[in-house]
Amino acid sequence: MLIGPYFFIPKNGSVIYDACSLEKGELRIDKLDNPVGHELLWDRHFTLGNYVHYPRGRVIYDLTKRQAIIYIDKCIHKPFMIQKLVSIFQIDVPYTIAYDFHYQCQSCLQNLFD
């Protein structure tokens, strides 16, 4: 299993991500997380724009519950996307889907205030 941040690029249906093994993850309370943040991931792949424009999320591992947590922007929470993330991050353990205010694209944030 791998953990890390990701972006979904709707224009071409691609996922940009940084995945590391659990052994290389950082312990944050009772969860393992990839130390790479969305800002760094963005800077590695893009020269223009802002990372909040794209739907994003993160896969982490909960040591207490022994399961993966897939944080996902609500606008991309679709079966094809979950399958894609399970494949990319090689999730071979039980997992749960979670939402967090932090993982919302600009469009979703705008909808909160409309």
Side-chain angles (χ1 to χ4, degrees):
M1 184 184 151
L2 304 171
I3 51 177
Y6 65 87
F7 290 101
F8 178 67
I9 311 302
K11 186 176 184 178
N12 62 14
S14 66
V15 177
I16 296 171
Y17 60 94
D18 185 284
C20 76
S21 66
L22 297 178
E23 294 76 26
K24 292 184 179 178
E26 287 184 347
L27 184 61
R28 297 183 181 162
I29 305 176
D30 63 342
K31 295 173 180 63
L32 291 173
D33 194 0
N34 185 323
V36 172
H38 283 92
E39 296 89 351
L40 180 57
L41 180 58
W42 179 267
D43 290 344
R44 287 179 181 168
H45 294 275
F46 299 96
T47 56
L48 298 174
N50 189 314
Y51 79 90
V52 298
H53 292 294
Y54 291 105
R56 63 190 178 279
R58 179 176 288 276
V59 175
I60 64 173
Y61 184 73
D62 186 318
L63 292 164
T64 303
K65 295 180 180 178
R66 295 183 177 181
Q67 70 179 10
I69 302 172
I70 301 173
Y71 285 100
I72 191 166
D73 193 325
K74 287 183 181 181
C75 67
I76 58 170
H77 183 182
K78 311 267 190 268
F80 84 91
M81 188 64 190
I82 300 303
Q83 291 172 354
K84 191 177 274 206
L85 294 170
V86 167
S87 177
I88 289 169
F89 288 95
Q90 302 170 22
I91 299 173
D92 57 357
V93 298
Y95 63 86
T96 187
I97 306 298
Y99 306 110
D100 187 295
F101 185 78
H102 183 77
Y103 304 114
Q104 293 189 62
C105 66
Q106 185 174 3
S107 295
C108 290
L109 286 172
Q110 182 66 32
N111 291 338
L112 289 175
F113 303 105
D114 287 345

